[in-house]
Amino acid sequence: MHVLVTRPLPAAHQTAKRLKALGHEVTVDPMLRIGPTGTPLPDRVFDAVAFTSINGVTAFAADPDSRRFLHLPAFAVGPRTAKEARAVGFAQVTDCDGDATALAGRIAAVLPSGARVLNPAGEDRAADLAGLLAAPGISLELAIVYAAEPADALSDDARAALASGTVTAALHFSQRTVKTLLRCVAAAGLNDTLTGVRELCLSEQVAEPFVRRGLAVEVAAAPNEDALFALL
């Protein structure tokens, strides 16, 4: 199978490596380019840190001031994010193995009402983690540590692979990457090529732009990469 991976780097390379180990051909064309914002971390006391993505961990750790938070418990949305949190120095990491709802539920189960949580994240977020934690009385402070710039065109490799009809499946991890891909495919005049591609999506929310276009989608049973791979 020839699989198109559109998630940002470096996660795209990790996904590609795993796909190749399973015998698939892979074309990587990140639809978002991640960069740190340089925004200082808040100078306040927190009870925990919550991460909703690997990019949030990486950008957070790039700030030298982040070391003062490493003694706190960290909550990670999934296994890869949890692994990255451990790699940057957090000793107490909880893998919530799901989405923002699972993350909020685990935080609320562990922390008392009135707790304060720092959430290093990007400018665009798929869910309102602060809203999910409001009911249990936990305060979430967002720190915008990275920004994601959308691609303005398909890469030469991706354009050629789609145009030749060799791409048989594509993995989609966020709604924003899907929207960017659709825009880039349209700009290249390749809309018709998507009908022959299995669009494998991390969640219903991720799949929504494809559904609005009338394209068939397959949605992972759980919002993690293992469940996405199970669709292949």
Side-chain angles (χ1 to χ4, degrees), residues 135-156:
I138 294 173
S139 174
L140 186 87
E141 182 162 344
L142 182 66
I144 305 297
V145 294
Y146 73 90
E149 180 182 354
D152 54 13
L154 294 171
S155 69
D156 290 343

Side-chain angles (χ1 to χ4, degrees), residues 34 50-62 81 84 120-122 143 145-146:
I34 306 298
F51 292 110
T52 50
S53 70
I54 295 175
N55 294 320
V57 180
T58 303
F60 165 83
T81 303
E84 188 68 16
V145 294
Y146 73 90

Side-chain angles (χ1 to χ4, degrees), residues 2-6 27 29 31 153-170 172 180-182 184-186 188-199 210:
H2 189 138
V3 183
L4 175 65
V5 177
T6 61
T27 294
D29 188 8
M31 289 292 101
L154 294 171
S155 69
D156 290 343
D157 287 346
R159 186 185 301 107
L162 286 168
S164 66
T166 58
V167 175
T168 50
H172 305 290
T180 303
L181 176 66
L182 287 171
C184 291
V185 166
L190 295 173
N191 279 337
D192 291 345
T193 66
L194 294 181
T195 58
V197 178
R198 293 176 61 199
E199 308 296 354
F210 286 130

Side-chain angles (χ1 to χ4, degrees), residues 41 59-71 88 90:
L41 294 170
F60 165 83
D63 187 332
D65 191 40
S66 64
R67 297 197 62 80
R68 65 187 173 90
F69 296 98
L70 295 180
H71 69 285
V88 303
F90 283 97

